[in-house]
Amino acid sequence: MQRYIDIGGDSGVAAYEVGPDSITVQFKDVATYLYTNASAGSANIQTMKSLATSGDGLNAFITRNVKKAYASKLR
């Protein structure tokens, strides 16, 4: 997993890992979720990947758009 930069210093996201059709997000409370194209939609996954690499806005996007659309809870 790659550490999430968190430019604003206010994110609940701690780390992420990008796959070809997915993104895994670990939150600061250690909960870890796998989001896939099938579960959240490919446009949302692409947006999440972009926000993850930019280090800003990922937690807010998840909360507003895909909170319950994960494929599985890993932790």
Side-chain angles (χ1 to χ4, degrees):
M1 300 272 284
Q2 185 164 341
R3 186 179 68 82
Y4 182 65
I5 297 169
D6 189 14
I7 291 171
D10 58 352
S11 181
V13 174
Y16 68 94
E17 185 172 343
V18 172
D21 300 320
S22 66
I23 184 169
T24 302
V25 180
Q26 180 181 40
F27 292 89
K28 290 182 179 174
D29 68 358
V30 188
T32 305
Y33 296 89
L34 172 66
Y35 295 89
T36 65
N37 285 349
S39 71
S42 59
N44 285 329
I45 296 301
Q46 289 306 316
T47 299
M48 291 169 70
K49 289 178 179 181
S50 176
L51 293 170
T53 57
S54 75
D56 191 41
L58 181 57
N59 191 70
F61 182 85
I62 290 170
T63 300
R64 277 183 258 163
N65 299 286
V66 296
K67 187 171 187 169
K68 303 283 184 182
Y70 53 87
S72 63
K73 182 175 181 181
L74 305 174
R75 260 188 159 178

